[in-house]
Amino acid sequence: MRRRRWPGAALAPYLLVLPGWLWLAAFFVAPVLVMVSLSLQTGDFIEGFRQTFHFGTYADVVRAYHVQLLRSLLYGAVATVCCAVIAYPVAYWIAFRGGRHKSAYLFAVLLPFFVSFVIRTQSWNVVLADNGVLLGPLKRLGVLPGDFHVLATPYAVIGGLAYNFLPFMVLPVYVALERLDPRLTEAAADLYAGRVQGFLRVVLPLSLPGVFAGVLLTFVPASADYVNASILGGPSATMVGNVIQTEYFTNLDYPGAAALSFVLMAALLLAVFGYARALGTRDVLEAAAR
């Protein structure tokens, strides 16, 4: 006896995905359209803004803030590389050496996330102060010169970015390594592959999907961040996120801030597409499907 099919079964997949699409439309598509409209307006806060389709705003903000834009992409890229170099060995160790305490180690990685992002960054401002708990004793012992400082430098900003976004790299790499079938490494050893060769030819290629996801999750928010540059950086380390904040909340130049936001978004998309093309998304997807 054939079971009768529920009349709405064909619509079930669409109904399941509908909340997600509504959420995306309400909190991404609609704000983007509003910002597009705002970026093409002219006027001021007192007289009001009106739609004039002034595309010249984009050229103006690029001409005025291209240094901060390039600096943000550079800081984000360097911080992402630092996260990858630190996170991969950590994720590898947890996946293959963590044993029954894997959950505890992952919880330790995520533990800083239980503290506010701003407070975490501000704590480094205390630690790295010129006469703080770290540099103060070293200066008094003569290890460091008296005028040595870390705050208000690019190193402090990049270090803060790497610290704050490190878990975004650890977790996807760990998931990719955790999915790896241990019989593959055993087969590589049976075929007389050494540990280094087995890692380079088996483990690393199969973990590329996790590295790819980790780079995306780290590079995009790190490049657009403004908290680290505000707290740990100085005038020479200003990022484009700080410029957008100032244009919007201080100068009340809403069209300029919206246009600069879209320029940043376009630059990040180009960087991501370039990275995906260089890494080879086809190879990544094939590795993820194995």
Side-chain angles (χ1 to χ4, degrees):
M1 181 178 178
R2 293 185 59 183
R3 181 180 299 178
R4 293 187 59 185
R5 190 178 182 183
W6 178 51
L11 296 177
Y14 302 99
L15 294 176
L16 289 174
V17 79
L18 182 61
W21 283 113
L22 291 176
W23 179 278
L24 195 64
F27 296 104
F28 178 72
V29 177
V32 165
L33 293 178
V34 171
M35 286 184 61
V36 169
S37 174
L38 185 59
S39 68
L40 300 177
Q41 297 179 14
T42 55
D44 54 50
F45 183 76
I46 303 299
E47 300 293 334
F49 298 97
R50 56 189 177 87
Q51 186 58 260
T52 57
F53 296 101
H54 185 257
F55 289 92
T57 305
Y58 286 86
D60 294 338
V61 296
V62 170
R63 192 181 306 111
Y65 302 115
H66 64 279
V67 174
Q68 290 81 359
L69 181 63
L70 294 176
R71 182 184 296 149
S72 299
L73 297 177
L74 177 63
Y75 286 4
V78 175
T80 302
V81 172
C82 293
C83 287
V85 171
I86 298 171
Y88 199 98
V90 173
Y92 184 94
W93 189 88
I94 295 175
F96 295 111
R97 298 287 186 270
R100 58 191 179 92
H101 299 297
K102 289 181 181 179
S103 299
Y105 297 137
L106 289 175
F107 179 75
V109 172
L110 294 174
L111 196 58
F113 272 54
F114 289 84
V115 180
S116 166
F117 185 88
V118 175
I119 294 177
R120 273 185 283 142
T121 308
Q122 181 63 34
S123 66
W124 280 106
N125 198 2
V126 176
V127 173
L128 299 176
D130 291 350
N131 294 309
V133 295
L134 180 62
L135 299 185
L138 295 176
K139 288 182 178 180
R140 285 192 290 272
L141 292 173
V143 178
L144 295 175
D147 59 348
F148 182 83
H149 68 279
V150 177
L151 292 178
T153 66
Y155 305 107
V157 178
I158 293 173
L161 291 172
Y163 163 74
N164 280 307
F165 293 103
L166 182 63
F168 288 102
M169 183 69 75
V170 173
L171 293 181
V173 174
Y174 167 78
V175 171
L177 291 171
E178 179 67 16
R179 292 178 52 193
L180 198 151
D181 191 343
R183 291 175 297 181
L184 294 175
T185 56
E186 295 172 1
D190 292 340
L191 294 173
Y192 302 104
R195 289 189 175 184
V196 175
Q197 197 174 17
F199 171 78
L200 294 177
R201 295 199 173 189
V202 178
V203 178
L204 183 60
L206 292 178
S207 64
L208 281 181
V211 177
F212 183 81
V215 168
L216 294 184
L217 292 174
T218 304
F219 174 70
V220 173
S223 299
D225 180 75
Y226 67 94
V227 174
N228 287 275
S230 298
I231 297 176
L232 303 176
S236 62
T238 302
M239 297 176 67
V240 70
N242 304 100
V243 177
I244 294 173
Q245 182 196 29
T246 303
E247 288 294 303
Y248 197 88
F249 291 105
T250 304
N251 298 336
L252 303 179
D253 182 10
Y254 300 154
L260 192 55
S261 300
F262 274 106
V263 171
L264 174 62
M265 185 186 300
L268 290 175
L269 287 174
L270 288 175
V272 169
F273 287 145
Y275 165 71
R277 187 174 180 81
L279 186 62
T281 51
R282 184 176 178 180
D283 296 337
V284 171
L285 293 176
E286 289 177 352
R290 290 172 186 169

